[in-house]
Amino acid sequence: MLKTKFEIEHLNLHYGSFHALKNISMKIPANEITAFIGPSGCGKSTFLKTLNRMNDLEENVTIDGTVRMDEKDIYSEMDAITLRHDVGMVFQQPNPFPKSVYDNVAYGPRIFGIRKKSQLDEIVERSLRQAAIWNELKDRLKKSALGLSGGQQQRLCIARTLAIQPKVILMDEPTSALDPISTSKIEDLAMELKKDYTIIIVTHNMQQAARISDKTAFFLLGEAIEYGKTEDIFARPQDKRTENYITGRFG
Amino acid sequence: MNTTTQKGMFGKEYAWRGIAVLCGLFVIALTLVIGAFLIYKGSDTFLKFGHTLWEFLGSAKWHPVDSAEGGGAAGALIFITGSLVTCGLALLIATPFALGSAIFMTEISARFGEKFYRPVVEIFAGIPSVVYGWVGLTVLVPFIRNVFDRQVGHSILAAGIVLAVMIFPTITSVSADAILAVPDACRKAAYGLGSTRWQTIRHIVIPAAAPGIISGIILGLARAFGEALAVSMVIGQTTALPKSIFSTTKTLTTEIASQMGNAMEGGELKSALWSMALLLFLVSLLFITLIHYFTNKGKAKAEGGKA
Amino acid sequence: MDKRIQRARRADRAMTGIFYGIAAFFFALLLAFTGKVIIGGLMGASPEMFAFARQGAIGNQLFNTVYLVFISLLVSVPLGVFAGIYLAMYAKPGLFTRFLRICIETLSSLPSIVVGLFGYLVFLVFMGMGKSLLAGALSISILTLPLITTTTEDAIKGLPAGYFQAGMGMGSTRWQAIFHVLLPACIPRIMTGVILAAGRGFGEAAALLYTTGSGSSLRWGNWDITSPTSPLNVLRPAETLSIQIWNLQTNAQDAALANLASAVLLLLVLLFNIGANAWSRHINRKNSGEKA
């Protein structure tokens, strides 16, 4: 039996008076890839952001219900800063800092207080290797990260997240801005990383979910309609709405 | 359409276009003429009265003769030092506050900042400099005299504070614009890595906005450097190199403002004053060049190619 | 690691406090400053100071200030608007346009005392005008010209591209499109620039020091514009409020009068700046309202 990483119970989220997430309960296992799918505006990204409290940064958001990570309530027993050290995030648009490749990866360790050059060098190399981009970038560590291609930028952002040694990596449509070749590199990377990390990925690309994820949750209008093993969701959906979506009848 | 009205139509088109082009040309001509006059009048000190550039910039002996015969000393070092010291002090005082205000109105309390704080800062910017000078003279100068127990309150310190208040809005609003231009994605990435707000501001937002912030500081400096009357009112106007921030001294602008009216046309004193005006003009050109340099640097940083 | 986070959070809270402190300090400083100047100035004044008299009052200076800025705008607004139109509509990217932009920037960054000296040299020494309201007004025109040019250019460039194409599409010439479609649409924005320019003109002193002189003897009712005591005569010396403050401080007399002049000058400038601010907000709201 796999260990449970996140346990979500009766989670509701409102933007002002808009009910964006409706009574969501699910258990997300550790060391697997879990995919959230659904049409745009269904709440999948919003739900992802509740897992590292990025919603705290927005105004007019109210949340009730519980989200527990490793049996600790992340809203009442942890603070957002500590939580985000454990739950890293990769965004839809690659968003490297306007700094060098090196400084991008070293940012996280530095704010932890790691100052020693040799230690930082080691972390930077290890993270870039883990993100399978060391060979491409090792000669341009001092160059600005903004000069990289989109796919390289996104893998750099993953390396930047790995450098803080999180337990969980949230990916919010990480390949939607990338070409097919970069996309497949990121997918391979995700498969590789699940040995050591719990990965939760939001995608509107159903093939992607089918290719890489172990579990899949289908969202519609703020509800988690169906959640289970990926092959079950795609081969034998229980809910009519899930079936309609994955067979392409709407979305 | 009949040809005469068409002809009239195109005739008008050319006439109006001609006027627009003329106005553009006028602006260019005006700038060139200003530059040319300053060079023409300001070069007399060196060409007609035979002073060296080195004497003008590096000597503190200031006894130009108020007649066309010349033969006096025209060292402007006192005024150059006075300008540099007062402006430097003003920057030292204004920059931390201006940066703090810019961060407050963009990162800490954006809604209140845009609605109330920015308009308030803009009102500061519009207050006439003589009013600043007058309040400096009637409030600040006695205050300095009493608090620091000096014989006179007129001082470099008073001038620095008055200038600091004057340039504060410039630095604040340019810096705030630069900070607002930092993409939100950078902030999100920083928060996503577990940064506090201050860490995000200090390590991500300020470095990314740095070229714009520096441009704002230079703009403020340019404004302080060119200010004449407000400084004249509080600096005490003694022709001597300053010894401390409580010294009274003169700046380039204050000397021009106080002597120009008395000086004889074509005399050595007047020429030396014109040379100082030329120096002010050249310094403001230098500031513009610096601002361009930093703006381009900011663009290169945002695009990443060359940085 | 937890200790690091604790420390980071403490630093975060401390800095937030500092930023609030700075903001509050300047808010308070501005209120105190304007309050002191306006209330202090008005309270300390005697009724006869408001008179339009040759001495010991501010009436004539107030009139001179407004009249001088008005004359200067008569020159700088048409010049600036046309130069702005040129930049926005006709200028092709190239050396000439780049040079024109550098010139505008140079003009806008000139110290006002330098502009004053230039005005003194050209209008007084070369043209033999004598210290006069006109010479001062023209100097102020030089100061406000870049502001009006850039506002006009920005206003035209800020319009949706469709505006101009629609005009051209109906077969009008470029100029007709500018005159009948573009200019009416951006007059409100240009007005904001003009109001700001006026605000700057009211407060200007250094550029007037050697150009306008200190005359304040006006005979009200004397409308012969060639007479030296006629309020409308532009070739007479004219002391403005800002020059009055400057003169009062050098002669160290009558602080109450200088206080009152400061108060009135500040009120005048605030009125224009707040007016420009409110006006541009109103325009923005109206424009976004139309879109919605």
Side-chain angles (χ1 to χ4, degrees), chain A residues 30-97:
Chain A
N31 294 90
E32 286 204 337
I33 298 180
T34 304
F36 296 165
I37 61 170
S40 3
C42 66
K44 56 192 191 304
S45 285
T46 306
F47 181 50
L48 189 76
K49 283 188 221 152
T50 61
L51 300 180
N52 74 340
R53 294 181 57 178
M54 285 301 270
N55 286 318
D56 288 17
L57 304 175
E58 280 156 47
E59 286 175 40
N60 287 328
V61 174
T62 46
I63 294 173
D64 59 79
T66 52
V67 180
R68 279 192 292 271
M69 184 178 76
D70 296 330
E71 281 153 15
K72 252 171 118 180
D73 189 318
I74 65 168
Y75 281 87
S76 62
E77 293 172 66
M78 288 176 94
D79 68 278
I81 307 293
T82 319
L83 172 69
R84 292 185 200 133
H85 284 160
D86 286 340
V87 185
M89 185 153 194
V90 176
F91 297 81
Q92 184 170 4
Q93 290 289 333
N95 56 355
F97 300 128

Side-chain angles (χ1 to χ4, degrees), chain B residues 13 126 134 198 257 270 292, chain C residues 12 105 120 175 210 259 269-270:
Chain B
E13 164 73 14
W134 178 249
W198 169 236
K270 197 140 207 169
H292 274 272
Chain C
D12 185 51
E105 220 176 322
Y120 162 78
W175 183 260
Y210 293 116
N259 281 337
V269 170
L270 286 188

Side-chain angles (χ1 to χ4, degrees), chain B residues 183-242:
Chain B
D184 227 21
C186 284
R187 294 185 187 91
K188 279 208 177 128
Y191 285 125
L193 292 167
S195 318
T196 60
R197 180 161 66 187
W198 169 236
Q199 283 171 329
T200 307
I201 293 170
R202 190 178 144 206
H203 298 291
I204 303 301
V205 175
I206 291 182
I213 293 173
I214 294 172
S215 293
I217 293 174
I218 298 171
L219 267 176
L221 184 60
R223 192 171 171 201
F225 213 80
E227 178 50 42
L229 302 190
V231 181
S232 297
M233 291 187 191
V234 298
I235 201 166
Q237 296 283 55
T238 25
T239 315
L241 281 170

Side-chain angles (χ1 to χ4, degrees), chain A residues 5 20 32 40 60 85 87 149 169 174 192 203 222 233 243 249:
Chain A
K5 194 76 195 172
E32 286 204 337
S40 3
N60 287 328
H85 284 160
V87 185
S149 75
I169 301 174
E192 184 63 32
T203 178
I233 295 280
E243 193 184 334
R249 245 170 276 171

Side-chain angles (χ1 to χ4, degrees), chain C residues 230-252:
Chain C
S230 163
L232 293 181
N233 184 353
V234 293
L235 292 174
R236 65 184 167 84
E239 186 178 66
T240 65
L241 283 172
S242 50
I243 293 291
Q244 184 182 27
I245 298 169
W246 170 253
N247 286 339
L248 285 170
Q249 76 87 27
T250 31
N251 305 335

Side-chain angles (χ1 to χ4, degrees), chain B residues 9-10 13 16-17 19-21 23-28 30-34 37-38 41 96-97 100-101 103-104 108-109 112 114-115 117 119-120 122-124 126-128 130-132 134-135 137 139 168 196-199 226 228-229 232-233 253 256-261 265 270 274 277 280-281 284-285 288 292, chain C residues 8-9 11-12 15-16 19-20 22-23 25-27 29-30 33-34 36-37 78-79 82-83 85-86 90 96 99-100 103-107 109-114 117-118 120-122 125-126 142 145 171 173-176 179 203 205-206 209-210 242 245-246 249 255 258-259 262 265-266 269-270 273-274 277 281:
Chain B
M9 202 166 99
F10 285 114
E13 164 73 14
W16 285 114
R17 174 191 295 212
I19 291 175
V21 174
C23 289
L25 280 173
F26 177 81
V27 172
I28 292 184
L30 179 66
T31 317
L32 291 180
V33 167
I34 292 177
F37 267 123
L38 286 167
K41 297 297 272 184
F97 287 110
S101 295
I103 291 170
F104 172 80
I108 309 284
S109 180
F112 177 79
E114 274 307 308
K115 245 200 173 119
Y117 204 70
V120 164
E122 276 164 9
I123 289 172
F124 253 120
I127 295 177
V130 274
V131 175
Y132 278 121
W134 178 249
V135 175
L137 181 66
V139 179
F168 161 80
T196 60
R197 180 161 66 187
W198 169 236
Q199 283 171 329
L229 302 190
S232 297
M233 291 187 191
T253 49
I256 296 175
S258 64
Q259 297 293 339
M260 206 56 144
E265 197 56 43
K270 197 140 207 169
W274 276 110
L280 282 176
F281 177 70
S284 73
L285 285 184
I288 294 177
H292 274 272
Chain C
R9 280 159 37 117
D12 185 51
M15 289 313 291
T16 304
F19 290 130
Y20 269 100
I22 290 173
F25 174 70
F26 271 91
F27 224 103
L29 185 67
L30 180 81
F33 187 95
T34 45
K36 186 207 171 286
V37 172
L79 271 173
F82 274 104
I85 290 175
Y86 172 76
Y90 290 112
F96 180 76
F99 191 64
L100 177 54
C103 286
I104 290 171
E105 220 176 322
T106 310
L107 278 186
S109 72
L110 280 179
S112 55
I113 183 117
V114 172
L117 289 187
F118 174 76
Y120 162 78
L121 189 68
V122 172
V125 177
F126 284 88
I142 298 175
L145 180 60
T173 62
R174 216 174 168 76
W175 183 260
Q176 284 171 322
F179 209 77
L209 202 51
Y210 293 116
S242 50
I245 298 169
W246 170 253
Q249 76 87 27
N259 281 337
S262 300
L265 181 57
L266 188 58
V269 170
L270 286 188
N273 280 4
I274 293 173
N277 206 318
R281 263 159 211 263

